[in-house]
Amino acid sequence: MRAKNYQNSLEFARRLDDEDPLKEFRQKFFIPKVKGKEVVYFCGNSLGLQPIAVKDYIEQELKDWAELGVDAHENAKTPWIPYHRSVVKETAKIVGAKPIEIVMMNSLTVNLHLMLTTFYRPDKKRFKIITEAGAFSSDQYALESQVKLHGLDPRKAIVEVKPRKGEYTIRTEDIVECIDQNKKELALVFFGGINYYTGQAFNMEAITATTHKAGAVVGFDLAHAAGNIVLKLHDWQVDFAVWCTYKYLNAGPGGVGGLFVHEKYAYKKLPRMAGWWGHNEEERFMMKKGFSAISGAEGWQLSNPSILSMAAYRASADIFNKAGIAKLIKKSQMLTGYLEYLITTGCTSPSVFKSQDVGYTIRIITPKEEQERGCQLSILVKKNGEKLFERLKSKNFVVDWRSPDVIRVAPVPLYNTFEEVYKFSKELTKVCRLE
Ligand SMILES: *Cc1c(COP(=O)(O)O)cnc(C)c1O
Protein backbone atom coordinates (compact mmCIF):
# COMPACT_ATOMS: atom_id res chain seq x y z
CA MET A 1 0.00 0.00 0.00
CA ARG A 2 1.29 3.45 -0.90
CA ALA A 3 1.50 6.18 1.73
CA LYS A 4 -1.02 8.31 -0.12
CA ASN A 5 -3.65 5.65 0.52
CA TYR A 6 -3.12 5.62 4.27
CA GLN A 7 -5.71 7.15 6.59
CA ASN A 8 -5.21 8.68 9.99
CA SER A 9 -7.95 6.81 11.85
CA LEU A 10 -8.36 3.97 14.30
CA GLU A 11 -10.78 2.17 11.96
CA PHE A 12 -8.23 2.24 9.20
CA ALA A 13 -5.47 0.91 11.48
CA ARG A 14 -7.76 -1.91 12.58
CA ARG A 15 -8.59 -2.73 9.00
CA LEU A 16 -4.89 -3.09 8.21
CA ASP A 17 -4.59 -5.47 11.15
CA ASP A 18 -7.56 -7.50 9.93
CA GLU A 19 -6.03 -7.83 6.50
CA ASP A 20 -2.57 -8.66 7.83
CA PRO A 21 -1.54 -12.17 6.70
CA LEU A 22 0.90 -12.39 9.64
CA LYS A 23 -1.56 -11.33 12.38
CA GLU A 24 -1.52 -14.78 14.04
CA PHE A 25 2.16 -14.48 14.91
CA ARG A 26 1.63 -12.00 17.73
CA GLN A 27 0.09 -14.84 19.75
CA LYS A 28 3.36 -16.70 19.64
CA PHE A 29 5.00 -14.12 21.93
CA PHE A 30 4.72 -12.97 25.52
CA ILE A 31 3.73 -9.29 25.57
CA PRO A 32 5.09 -7.60 28.72
CA LYS A 33 2.62 -5.96 31.08
CA VAL A 34 2.76 -3.01 33.46
CA LYS A 35 0.19 -3.12 36.29
CA GLY A 36 -1.64 -5.88 34.47
CA LYS A 37 -1.93 -3.95 31.22
CA GLU A 38 -0.09 -4.96 28.06
CA VAL A 39 2.46 -2.37 27.01
CA VAL A 40 2.95 -1.19 23.46
CA TYR A 41 6.37 -2.72 22.90
CA PHE A 42 8.45 -0.92 20.27
CA CYS A 43 11.81 -2.04 21.60
CA GLY A 44 12.44 -5.19 19.56
CA ASN A 45 15.52 -3.41 18.19
CA SER A 46 17.04 -3.69 21.65
CA LEU A 47 15.60 -6.89 23.05
CA GLY A 48 13.14 -8.97 21.06
CA LEU A 49 10.18 -10.47 22.93
CA GLN A 50 10.14 -14.02 24.19
CA PRO A 51 8.52 -16.59 21.93
CA ILE A 52 6.18 -18.72 24.04
CA ALA A 53 7.75 -21.84 22.53
CA VAL A 54 11.22 -21.05 23.94
CA LYS A 55 10.33 -22.84 27.17
CA ASP A 56 9.53 -26.09 25.32
CA TYR A 57 12.74 -25.95 23.31
CA ILE A 58 14.85 -25.41 26.42
CA GLU A 59 12.92 -27.98 28.44
CA GLN A 60 13.65 -30.59 25.79
CA GLU A 61 17.38 -30.03 26.32
CA LEU A 62 17.00 -30.09 30.11
CA LYS A 63 15.08 -33.35 29.78
CA ASP A 64 17.75 -34.89 27.54
CA TRP A 65 20.43 -33.74 29.95
CA ALA A 66 18.52 -35.16 32.94
CA GLU A 67 17.76 -38.49 31.29
CA LEU A 68 20.82 -39.06 29.16
CA GLY A 69 23.66 -37.16 30.80
CA VAL A 70 26.75 -37.26 28.63
CA ASP A 71 24.99 -39.52 26.12
CA ALA A 72 22.91 -36.56 25.01
CA HIS A 73 25.93 -35.35 23.02
CA GLU A 74 25.06 -38.08 20.57
CA ASN A 75 21.56 -39.24 21.47
CA ALA A 76 19.56 -36.18 22.45
CA LYS A 77 16.46 -35.55 20.33
CA THR A 78 18.63 -33.01 18.57
CA PRO A 79 22.15 -34.35 19.26
CA TRP A 80 24.36 -31.79 20.94
CA ILE A 81 27.60 -32.30 19.03
CA PRO A 82 26.18 -31.00 15.75
CA TYR A 83 23.49 -28.88 17.49
CA HIS A 84 24.63 -25.66 15.80
CA ARG A 85 23.67 -27.16 12.45
CA SER A 86 20.03 -27.38 13.48
CA VAL A 87 19.64 -23.62 12.97
CA VAL A 88 21.80 -23.09 9.91
CA LYS A 89 19.14 -23.52 7.24
CA GLU A 90 16.76 -20.99 8.79
CA THR A 91 19.57 -18.56 9.52
CA ALA A 92 20.93 -18.80 5.99
CA LYS A 93 17.55 -17.62 4.68
CA ILE A 94 17.49 -14.68 7.09
CA VAL A 95 20.87 -13.32 6.01
CA GLY A 96 20.92 -14.51 2.39
CA ALA A 97 23.73 -17.01 2.69
CA LYS A 98 24.62 -20.61 1.91
CA PRO A 99 24.72 -23.03 4.86
CA ILE A 100 28.50 -23.45 4.58
CA GLU A 101 28.86 -19.69 5.14
CA ILE A 102 27.06 -19.64 8.50
CA VAL A 103 27.81 -20.61 12.06
CA MET A 104 26.09 -19.62 15.30
CA MET A 105 28.43 -19.22 18.24
CA ASN A 106 29.80 -16.89 20.95
CA SER A 107 28.41 -13.38 20.91
CA LEU A 108 28.69 -10.50 18.49
CA THR A 109 31.80 -8.69 19.70
CA VAL A 110 33.69 -11.94 20.22
CA ASN A 111 32.88 -12.99 16.67
CA LEU A 112 33.93 -9.58 15.40
CA HIS A 113 37.35 -10.00 17.02
CA LEU A 114 37.68 -13.46 15.47
CA MET A 115 36.90 -12.00 12.06
CA LEU A 116 39.24 -9.04 12.47
CA THR A 117 42.02 -11.44 13.42
CA THR A 118 41.54 -13.20 10.10
CA PHE A 119 40.60 -10.35 7.82
CA TYR A 120 42.48 -7.35 9.17
CA ARG A 121 46.08 -8.22 8.29
CA PRO A 122 47.70 -4.82 7.86
CA ASP A 123 51.10 -4.43 6.21
CA LYS A 124 53.31 -1.42 5.46
CA LYS A 125 51.27 -0.51 2.44
CA ARG A 126 47.70 -1.42 3.37
CA PHE A 127 46.72 -0.74 6.94
CA LYS A 128 43.68 1.56 6.95
CA ILE A 129 40.17 0.72 8.10
CA ILE A 130 37.23 2.78 6.86
CA THR A 131 34.19 2.80 9.11
CA GLU A 132 31.11 4.90 9.90
CA ALA A 133 31.34 7.81 12.31
CA GLY A 134 29.10 7.21 15.30
CA ALA A 135 29.31 3.43 15.17
CA PHE A 136 28.13 1.41 18.18
CA SER A 137 30.76 1.64 20.91
CA SER A 138 31.67 -2.04 20.94
CA ASP A 139 32.52 -1.91 17.23
CA GLN A 140 34.71 1.15 17.77
CA TYR A 141 36.56 -0.53 20.64
CA ALA A 142 37.04 -3.72 18.64
CA LEU A 143 38.58 -1.82 15.72
CA GLU A 144 40.70 0.41 17.94
CA SER A 145 42.10 -2.48 19.97
CA GLN A 146 42.85 -4.60 16.90
CA VAL A 147 44.72 -1.71 15.31
CA LYS A 148 46.76 -1.32 18.52
CA LEU A 149 47.48 -5.06 18.64
CA HIS A 150 49.24 -4.58 15.31
CA GLY A 151 51.30 -1.76 16.82
CA LEU A 152 49.52 0.91 14.79
CA ASP A 153 48.00 4.24 15.77
CA PRO A 154 44.17 4.23 15.58
CA ARG A 155 44.19 7.93 14.72
CA LYS A 156 46.10 7.15 11.54
CA ALA A 157 44.68 3.76 10.72
CA ILE A 158 40.95 4.35 11.28
CA VAL A 159 39.15 6.65 8.86
CA GLU A 160 35.55 7.58 9.69
CA VAL A 161 32.96 8.65 7.12
CA LYS A 162 30.68 11.31 8.57
CA PRO A 163 27.34 12.81 7.61
CA ARG A 164 27.68 16.15 5.80
CA LYS A 165 27.16 19.31 7.78
CA GLY A 166 23.50 19.75 8.66
CA GLU A 167 22.73 16.13 7.74
CA TYR A 168 22.19 13.15 10.01
CA THR A 169 22.87 10.18 7.78
CA ILE A 170 25.84 9.25 5.63
CA ARG A 171 25.61 9.47 1.87
CA THR A 172 26.65 6.38 -0.11
CA GLU A 173 28.53 8.63 -2.55
CA ASP A 174 30.64 9.93 0.35
CA ILE A 175 31.47 6.38 1.47
CA VAL A 176 32.42 5.47 -2.09
CA GLU A 177 34.58 8.56 -2.40
CA CYS A 178 36.33 7.89 0.90
CA ILE A 179 37.14 4.34 -0.21
CA ASP A 180 38.44 5.69 -3.48
CA GLN A 181 40.63 8.30 -1.83
CA ASN A 182 42.20 5.78 0.52
CA LYS A 183 42.37 2.86 -1.85
CA LYS A 184 46.15 2.51 -1.91
CA GLU A 185 46.36 2.15 1.86
CA LEU A 186 43.06 0.45 2.47
CA ALA A 187 42.97 -2.91 4.25
CA LEU A 188 39.38 -3.16 5.47
CA VAL A 189 35.98 -1.49 5.29
CA PHE A 190 33.71 -2.20 8.24
CA PHE A 191 30.19 -0.81 8.61
CA GLY A 192 27.00 -1.56 10.44
CA GLY A 193 24.24 -2.92 8.23
CA ILE A 194 21.96 -0.43 9.97
CA ASN A 195 23.23 2.33 12.22
CA TYR A 196 21.80 1.79 15.71
CA TYR A 197 21.26 5.51 16.32
CA THR A 198 19.86 6.89 13.09
CA GLY A 199 18.26 3.71 11.74
CA GLN A 200 20.02 4.26 8.40
CA ALA A 201 20.50 1.07 6.37
CA PHE A 202 23.73 1.29 4.41
CA ASN A 203 24.00 0.22 0.81
CA MET A 204 25.98 -2.92 1.55
CA GLU A 205 26.03 -4.03 -2.06
CA ALA A 206 27.62 -0.78 -3.25
CA ILE A 207 30.04 -0.61 -0.33
CA THR A 208 31.14 -4.18 -0.99
CA ALA A 209 31.65 -3.66 -4.73
CA THR A 210 33.62 -0.46 -4.18
CA THR A 211 35.79 -2.00 -1.47
CA HIS A 212 36.64 -4.96 -3.66
CA LYS A 213 37.54 -2.66 -6.55
CA ALA A 214 39.94 -0.96 -4.15
CA GLY A 215 41.54 -4.33 -3.40
CA ALA A 216 40.42 -4.53 0.24
CA VAL A 217 38.02 -6.72 2.24
CA VAL A 218 34.68 -5.72 3.71
CA GLY A 219 32.70 -6.80 6.77
CA PHE A 220 29.40 -5.78 8.35
CA ASP A 221 27.89 -5.71 11.81
CA LEU A 222 24.31 -6.84 11.29
CA ALA A 223 23.08 -6.40 14.88
CA HIS A 224 20.25 -4.15 13.68
CA ALA A 225 19.90 -5.70 10.24
CA ALA A 226 19.48 -9.45 10.82
CA GLY A 227 15.80 -10.31 10.82
CA ASN A 228 14.94 -6.74 9.88
CA ILE A 229 15.89 -6.03 6.26
CA VAL A 230 16.68 -7.89 3.04
CA LEU A 231 20.19 -9.31 3.22
CA LYS A 232 22.00 -11.07 0.38
CA LEU A 233 25.41 -11.59 1.89
CA HIS A 234 26.39 -14.33 -0.54
CA ASP A 235 25.28 -12.58 -3.71
CA TRP A 236 26.73 -9.26 -2.62
CA GLN A 237 30.09 -11.03 -2.11
CA VAL A 238 30.45 -9.70 1.42
CA ASP A 239 33.64 -11.12 2.96
CA PHE A 240 32.40 -11.51 6.53
CA ALA A 241 29.56 -10.45 8.83
CA VAL A 242 28.64 -10.80 12.48
CA TRP A 243 25.38 -10.27 14.35
CA CYS A 244 23.53 -10.91 17.58
CA THR A 245 20.24 -12.75 18.00
CA TYR A 246 18.65 -11.03 20.97
CA LYS A 247 17.40 -7.99 19.01
CA TYR A 248 15.12 -8.68 16.04
CA LEU A 249 15.85 -12.40 16.26
CA ASN A 250 14.24 -12.80 19.70
CA ALA A 251 16.70 -15.34 21.12
CA GLY A 252 16.81 -13.81 24.59
CA PRO A 253 19.32 -11.74 26.55
CA GLY A 254 22.92 -12.49 25.61
CA GLY A 255 21.69 -14.98 22.99
CA VAL A 256 24.10 -16.83 20.73
CA GLY A 257 25.87 -14.73 18.07
CA GLY A 258 26.00 -15.27 14.31
CA LEU A 259 28.91 -15.38 11.89
CA PHE A 260 29.13 -15.32 8.10
CA VAL A 261 32.25 -16.02 6.09
CA HIS A 262 31.83 -16.01 2.32
CA GLU A 263 32.02 -19.32 0.47
CA LYS A 264 35.04 -18.08 -1.47
CA TYR A 265 37.08 -18.63 1.70
CA ALA A 266 35.45 -21.94 2.66
CA TYR A 267 38.36 -24.13 1.55
CA LYS A 268 41.19 -21.67 2.12
CA LYS A 269 43.11 -22.18 5.31
CA LEU A 270 43.05 -18.56 6.41
CA PRO A 271 44.91 -17.61 9.60
CA ARG A 272 42.67 -17.47 12.65
CA MET A 273 42.30 -18.04 16.36
CA ALA A 274 41.63 -21.76 16.62
CA GLY A 275 39.85 -24.12 18.97
CA TRP A 276 38.91 -27.80 18.97
CA TRP A 277 35.39 -27.24 17.66
CA GLY A 278 36.74 -25.71 14.46
CA HIS A 279 39.03 -28.69 13.89
CA ASN A 280 38.41 -31.49 11.40
CA GLU A 281 35.46 -33.39 12.86
CA GLU A 282 36.80 -36.90 12.26
CA GLU A 283 39.80 -36.13 14.39
CA ARG A 284 38.19 -33.84 16.92
CA PHE A 285 38.34 -36.27 19.81
CA MET A 286 41.76 -37.68 18.97
CA MET A 287 43.41 -34.73 20.69
CA LYS A 288 46.17 -34.69 18.08
CA LYS A 289 48.66 -31.92 17.47
CA GLY A 290 48.22 -29.62 14.48
CA PHE A 291 45.02 -27.65 13.82
CA SER A 292 43.19 -28.44 10.61
CA ALA A 293 40.11 -26.28 10.03
CA ILE A 294 36.68 -27.57 9.03
CA SER A 295 35.67 -26.03 5.69
CA GLY A 296 33.45 -22.99 5.84
CA ALA A 297 32.37 -20.78 8.72
CA GLU A 298 32.35 -23.71 11.16
CA GLY A 299 36.13 -23.70 10.96
CA TRP A 300 36.13 -20.57 13.11
CA GLN A 301 34.38 -22.28 16.03
CA LEU A 302 36.36 -22.40 19.24
CA SER A 303 34.22 -24.20 21.79
CA ASN A 304 31.45 -26.75 21.86
CA PRO A 305 28.06 -25.09 21.29
CA SER A 306 26.09 -23.47 24.10
CA ILE A 307 23.01 -25.67 23.86
CA LEU A 308 20.56 -23.75 26.05
CA SER A 309 21.13 -20.44 24.35
CA MET A 310 21.02 -22.09 20.93
CA ALA A 311 17.75 -23.84 21.87
CA ALA A 312 16.15 -20.47 22.61
CA TYR A 313 17.35 -19.14 19.26
CA ARG A 314 16.00 -22.22 17.53
CA ALA A 315 12.49 -21.51 18.79
CA SER A 316 12.64 -18.08 17.21
CA ALA A 317 14.35 -19.19 14.01
CA ASP A 318 11.50 -21.66 13.48
CA ILE A 319 8.99 -18.82 13.80
CA PHE A 320 10.91 -16.75 11.25
CA ASN A 321 10.89 -19.69 8.94
CA LYS A 322 7.12 -20.13 9.26
CA ALA A 323 6.40 -16.46 8.69
CA GLY A 324 8.93 -16.10 5.85
CA ILE A 325 11.42 -13.28 5.80
CA ALA A 326 10.02 -11.74 2.59
CA LYS A 327 6.51 -11.47 4.07
CA LEU A 328 7.89 -10.07 7.30
CA ILE A 329 9.81 -7.36 5.51
CA LYS A 330 6.78 -6.44 3.44
CA LYS A 331 4.67 -5.97 6.57
CA SER A 332 7.53 -4.15 8.28
CA GLN A 333 7.70 -1.57 5.49
CA MET A 334 3.96 -0.99 5.80
CA LEU A 335 4.04 -0.70 9.60
CA THR A 336 6.93 1.75 9.61
CA GLY A 337 5.55 3.59 6.60
CA TYR A 338 2.25 3.97 8.46
CA LEU A 339 4.03 5.22 11.58
CA GLU A 340 5.92 7.79 9.53
CA TYR A 341 2.72 8.86 7.80
CA LEU A 342 0.87 9.27 11.10
CA ILE A 343 3.66 11.30 12.66
CA THR A 344 4.12 13.58 9.68
CA THR A 345 0.39 14.15 9.11
CA GLY A 346 -0.54 14.17 12.83
CA CYS A 347 2.07 16.69 13.86
CA THR A 348 1.03 19.30 11.36
CA SER A 349 -2.30 19.87 13.04
CA PRO A 350 -1.83 23.16 14.96
CA SER A 351 -5.20 22.96 16.71
CA VAL A 352 -4.20 19.78 18.47
CA PHE A 353 -0.86 21.24 19.38
CA LYS A 354 -2.21 24.48 20.82
CA SER A 355 -4.34 22.68 23.33
CA GLN A 356 -1.21 21.46 25.10
CA ASP A 357 0.91 23.43 27.51
CA VAL A 358 4.00 21.42 26.72
CA GLY A 359 5.50 21.22 23.27
CA TYR A 360 8.41 19.37 21.73
CA THR A 361 9.99 19.94 18.37
CA ILE A 362 10.89 16.71 16.66
CA ARG A 363 12.41 15.49 13.45
CA ILE A 364 12.58 11.99 12.00
CA ILE A 365 16.24 11.46 11.11
CA THR A 366 15.84 7.94 9.68
CA PRO A 367 15.85 8.00 5.86
CA LYS A 368 12.46 8.10 4.11
CA GLU A 369 13.39 5.58 1.44
CA GLU A 370 12.33 2.01 2.23
CA GLN A 371 15.63 0.51 1.07
CA GLU A 372 17.56 2.86 3.37
CA ARG A 373 15.95 1.76 6.61
CA GLY A 374 14.44 -1.16 8.51
CA CYS A 375 11.56 -0.97 10.94
CA GLN A 376 13.13 1.58 13.30
CA LEU A 377 12.39 5.29 13.16
CA SER A 378 14.73 7.55 15.10
CA ILE A 379 12.96 10.64 16.36
CA LEU A 380 15.31 13.47 17.21
CA VAL A 381 13.90 15.74 19.91
CA LYS A 382 15.30 19.27 19.84
CA LYS A 383 14.92 19.93 23.56
CA ASN A 384 13.85 17.98 26.65
CA GLY A 385 13.92 14.69 24.77
CA GLU A 386 14.25 12.67 27.92
CA LYS A 387 11.12 14.30 29.30
CA LEU A 388 9.19 13.29 26.21
CA PHE A 389 10.56 9.79 26.56
CA GLU A 390 9.44 9.61 30.20
CA ARG A 391 6.01 10.88 29.21
CA LEU A 392 5.62 8.14 26.61
CA LYS A 393 6.81 5.57 29.12
CA SER A 394 4.23 6.70 31.66
CA LYS A 395 1.55 6.10 29.02
CA ASN A 396 2.62 2.46 28.58
CA PHE A 397 4.77 2.86 25.46
CA VAL A 398 8.07 1.00 25.54
CA VAL A 399 10.45 2.85 23.23
CA ASP A 400 14.06 3.72 23.99
CA TRP A 401 16.17 6.74 24.62
CA ARG A 402 19.59 7.09 23.09
CA SER A 403 21.77 9.89 24.30
CA PRO A 404 22.09 12.71 23.35
CA ASP A 405 18.75 13.37 21.68
CA VAL A 406 17.01 10.44 20.03
CA ILE A 407 13.95 8.32 20.81
CA ARG A 408 14.02 5.08 18.88
CA VAL A 409 10.73 3.49 17.89
CA ALA A 410 10.76 0.05 16.32
CA PRO A 411 7.45 -1.58 15.37
CA VAL A 412 8.31 -5.20 14.66
CA PRO A 413 6.26 -7.14 12.09
CA LEU A 414 6.19 -10.41 14.06
CA TYR A 415 4.32 -9.03 17.04
CA ASN A 416 3.35 -5.37 16.60
CA THR A 417 0.09 -4.13 15.13
CA PHE A 418 -1.11 -1.17 13.10
CA GLU A 419 -3.40 -0.26 15.99
CA GLU A 420 -0.39 0.05 18.30
CA VAL A 421 1.33 2.29 15.78
CA TYR A 422 -1.81 4.40 15.61
CA LYS A 423 -2.10 4.74 19.39
CA PHE A 424 1.56 5.65 19.75
CA SER A 425 1.47 8.34 17.12
CA LYS A 426 -1.71 9.83 18.65
CA GLU A 427 0.09 10.18 21.96
CA LEU A 428 3.24 11.55 20.36
CA THR A 429 1.70 14.04 17.98
CA LYS A 430 -0.48 15.47 20.75
CA VAL A 431 2.56 17.24 22.14
CA CYS A 432 4.97 17.52 19.21
CA ARG A 433 5.53 19.72 16.24
CA LEU A 434 7.58 18.60 13.30
CA GLU A 435 10.59 20.66 12.44
C1 LIG B 1 23.69 -4.50 20.02
C2 LIG B 1 24.94 -4.23 19.31
C3 LIG B 1 26.16 -4.80 19.73
C4 LIG B 1 26.22 -5.63 20.99
O1 LIG B 1 27.34 -6.44 21.05
P1 LIG B 1 27.39 -7.74 21.97
O2 LIG B 1 28.71 -8.29 21.70
O3 LIG B 1 26.25 -8.64 21.53
O4 LIG B 1 27.18 -7.32 23.38
C5 LIG B 1 27.29 -4.55 18.97
N1 LIG B 1 27.25 -3.77 17.86
C6 LIG B 1 26.08 -3.21 17.45
C7 LIG B 1 26.06 -2.37 16.22
C8 LIG B 1 24.91 -3.40 18.17
O5 LIG B 1 23.78 -2.82 17.77
Side-chain angles (χ1 to χ4, degrees), residues 100 261-269 294-297 300:
I100 195 167
V261 182
H262 198 276
E263 190 182 27
K264 63 191 167 197
Y265 302 111
Y267 306 99
K268 291 193 175 146
K269 305 291 179 192
I294 307 179
S295 303
W300 272 267

Side-chain angles (χ1 to χ4, degrees), residues 94 137 149 158 244 247 388-389:
I94 293 170
S137 58
L149 277 171
I158 299 176
C244 53
K247 293 176 177 166
L388 176 58
F389 167 71

Side-chain angles (χ1 to χ4, degrees), residues 108-109 136 138-139 196 221 223-224 244 246-247:
L108 190 160
T109 309
F136 194 90
S138 205
D139 299 22
Y196 78 99
D221 176 337
H224 282 266
C244 53
Y246 48 83
K247 293 176 177 166

Side-chain angles (χ1 to χ4, degrees), residues 146-351:
Q146 287 274 343
V147 163
K148 285 183 177 166
L149 277 171
H150 288 284
L152 299 168
D153 179 354
R155 284 169 307 183
K156 290 188 187 130
I158 299 176
V159 181
E160 292 184 349
V161 191
K162 295 185 175 63
R164 292 188 188 180
K165 204 159 185 281
E167 297 182 6
Y168 295 92
T169 50
I170 304 171
R171 297 191 193 197
T172 305
E173 64 207 81
D174 291 351
I175 302 171
V176 167
E177 199 188 306
C178 182
I179 294 172
D180 220 43
Q181 277 172 359
N182 290 283
K183 69 179 170 203
K184 292 218 174 79
E185 299 173 319
L186 189 61
L188 169 74
V189 173
F190 184 75
F191 266 72
I194 292 185
N195 180 276
Y196 78 99
Y197 190 75
T198 63
Q200 176 183 17
F202 292 108
N203 187 335
M204 290 179 254
E205 189 174 12
I207 293 173
T208 302
T210 313
T211 306
H212 286 164
K213 242 196 275 160
V217 294
V218 57
F220 293 100
D221 176 337
L222 304 176
H224 282 266
N228 183 20
I229 57 169
V230 177
L231 295 169
K232 295 184 178 167
L233 298 181
H234 177 83
D235 291 348
W236 294 339
Q237 299 283 323
V238 168
D239 295 292
F240 72 89
V242 292
W243 62 96
C244 53
T245 57
Y246 48 83
K247 293 176 177 166
Y248 295 108
L249 295 174
N250 313 312
V256 64
L259 176 81
F260 166 92
V261 182
H262 198 276
E263 190 182 27
K264 63 191 167 197
Y265 302 111
Y267 306 99
K268 291 193 175 146
K269 305 291 179 192
L270 297 181
R272 72 194 72 194
M273 306 240 196
W276 73 318
W277 225 256
H279 183 79
N280 171 7
E281 274 175 288
E282 263 99 73
E283 292 188 345
R284 188 184 279 150
F285 292 91
M286 293 179 190
M287 309 305 192
K288 287 208 284 201
K289 266 208 188 312
F291 174 75
S292 162
I294 307 179
S295 303
E298 283 189 13
W300 272 267
Q301 290 177 114
L302 299 177
S303 305
N304 70 100
S306 173
I307 302 301
L308 298 182
S309 100
M310 200 103 67
Y313 172 59
R314 231 178 123 204
S316 177
D318 284 350
I319 294 176
F320 265 87
N321 206 29
K322 278 199 197 95
I325 190 79
K327 269 197 209 149
L328 279 168
I329 289 168
K330 190 163 170 233
K331 175 177 171 187
S332 174
Q333 289 171 342
M334 270 180 79
L335 260 182
T336 299
Y338 191 49
L339 173 64
E340 181 182 43
Y341 162 86
L342 291 174
I343 294 174
T344 46
T345 54
C347 274
T348 51
S349 165
S351 60

Side-chain angles (χ1 to χ4, degrees), residues 38-49:
E38 276 185 1
V39 300
V40 171
Y41 193 83
F42 286 157
C43 235
N45 56 335
S46 190
L47 185 77
L49 292 181

